Amino acid sequence: MSSIFLFVAVLLGASAVQASPIHFARQSITTLTASQISTFTPYTFFASAGYCTPATTLAWDCGANCQANPGFMPVASGGNGDSVQFWFVGYDPTLNTVIVSHQGTVPTEILPLVTDGDFFLSNLDSTLFPGISSDIQVHSGFKDAQASTATDVLAAVQSAMSNHSANSVTLVGHSLGAAITLLDSVYLPLHLPAGTQFKTVGYGLPRVGNQAFANYVDANLQLTHVTNEKDPIPTLPGMFLGFVHPSGEDHIENSTQWDACPGQDNPSTLCSVGAVPTVLEGDLTNHDGPYGPVTMGCSS
Ligand SMILES: *[C@@H]1O[C@H](CO)[C@@H](O)[C@H](O)[C@H]1NC(C)=O
Ligand SMILES: *[C@@H]1O[C@H](CO)[C@@H](O)[C@H](O)[C@H]1NC(C)=O
């Protein structure tokens, strides 16, 4: 019963947000050039590769997704693709960065995670996130998913950085994987040397936390999150539940037009919030992409 209630509430909340006036000036939307769009491709393949099953911890083969990034050197991987999403860490000599990728989930499994009544806004764990403000709250399910692999991922990143003399870490993920990745992007800098360069690229990212979380991400992370056409997942959980997206949205209008949407939850129809005013106007088949040449999943 509560899940039906919340689902309806999500729909109402989305319409209410569309109707509310915007009281502050927005920077204008800019359209990405073809070459700006193409810079995403290696990261998109790595996000897609998050869906591939690790053969063993170190002997890990992600097939076509990794052949798209020749020279990639896996360092560690884990998860079981069921209760724990797959993840991998490796080093890409072309991009000269450590890559961290988390598996996402199919549209029919992410939808309940952001619409049912089982989640709530929760404080981050002070052991994993030392010194983080208690004003910051995140989706309890995403928090648990990130916590279940956090220390293994940190150890793998430390090993990759030291083995490859790297000081750059790039975190990628799609769907639930993007949510875990965003929390890892807050977590890892708290445990790695000052001066490490971080970059985060999320695809089909649901809302992960509250206003204080979004502000923290804006102030401390270099995040881009790509939203595709009428995918409803990035519009969930609803803003009326207290969830806010950080800045950094790039919205795919169609196969040739990507728009940079400045600010948090930009309401333009060229951005996710405006393109999908209610969940019923969304199209869940847009969740997996294509994001440029890549449709999310191991075999793409
Ligand atoms: C460390 O790097 C070398 C080559 O650069 C590679 O052969 C070795 O497997 C790496 N070890 C780990 C744990 O990644
Ligand atoms: C993409 O969207 C833009 C803006 O709506 C439109 O002008 C353009 O014709 C579209 N291109 C394709 C390939 O659909």
Side-chain angles (χ1 to χ4, degrees):
M1 187 184 103
S2 65
S3 72
I4 290 167
F5 169 77
L6 259 177
F7 188 73
V8 170
V10 163
L11 303 182
L12 294 173
S15 333
V17 162
Q18 190 200 23
S20 66
I22 302 300
H23 293 292
F24 49 94
R26 292 267 182 182
Q27 291 172 272
S28 54
I29 312 279
T30 52
T31 298
L32 275 63
T33 63
S35 85
Q36 285 173 321
I37 293 173
S38 69
T39 61
F40 282 87
T41 305
Y43 306 106
T44 318
F45 275 111
F46 281 128
S48 197
Y51 283 87
C52 300
T53 313
T56 69
T57 304
L58 280 177
W60 178 80
D61 175 14
C62 64
N65 286 306
C66 283
Q67 285 151 23
N69 286 309
F72 177 68
M73 300 179 215
V75 169
S77 59
N80 57 23
D82 182 14
S83 57
V84 181
Q85 303 302 109
F86 294 135
W87 58 270
F88 70 84
V89 169
Y91 175 73
D92 188 301
T94 310
L95 301 168
N96 189 21
T97 184
V98 172
I99 297 284
V100 182
S101 178
H102 284 278
Q103 179 196 14
T105 186
V106 295
T108 49
E109 286 182 21
I110 182 73
L111 193 61
L113 269 178
V114 287
T115 54
D116 75 15
D118 291 343
F119 66 83
F120 50 91
L121 280 166
S122 169
N123 287 110
L124 289 166
D125 178 89
S126 62
T127 306
L128 289 179
F129 295 85
I132 207 88
S133 164
S134 60
D135 293 342
I136 293 177
Q137 294 194 308
V138 302
H139 182 292
S140 53
F142 299 158
K143 174 183 132 171
D144 292 346
Q146 189 268 342
S148 70
T149 61
T151 53
D152 289 346
V153 168
L154 173 60
V157 170
Q158 286 168 325
S159 156
M161 288 177 73
S162 112
N163 198 25
H164 298 286
S165 305
N167 77 338
S168 161
V169 180
T170 304
L171 301 99
V172 302
H174 167 245
S175 186
L176 172 58
I180 298 170
T181 288
L182 183 54
L183 291 172
D184 260 0
S185 306
V186 172
Y187 162 72
L188 289 176
L190 302 175
H191 302 275
L192 291 170
T196 308
Q197 301 289 306
F198 295 94
K199 166 176 162 147
T200 304
V201 188
Y203 301 83
L205 174 72
R207 292 195 184 93
V208 172
N210 65 357
Q211 181 71 65
F213 175 77
N215 293 350
Y216 182 93
V217 169
D218 283 4
N220 294 286
L221 272 57
Q222 198 197 322
L223 167 72
T224 304
H225 66 104
V226 184
T227 56
N228 186 43
E229 301 190 40
K230 291 194 172 289
D231 177 10
I233 299 301
T235 71
L236 298 168
M239 288 189 264
F240 76 102
L241 288 172
F243 285 83
V244 181
H245 263 308
S247 303
E249 179 187 359
D250 281 345
H251 182 71
I252 301 179
E253 174 80 359
N254 58 41
S255 59
T256 54
Q257 184 171 333
W258 292 32
D259 297 301
C261 299
Q264 299 172 343
D265 286 305
N266 192 309
S268 166
T269 53
L270 291 173
C271 308
S272 176
V273 167
V276 190
T278 70
V279 174
L280 291 183
E281 289 163 83
D283 182 350
L284 212 46
T285 65
N286 291 158
H287 185 53
D288 287 346
Y291 299 89
V294 184
T295 297
M296 293 296 170
C298 187
S299 61
S300 76

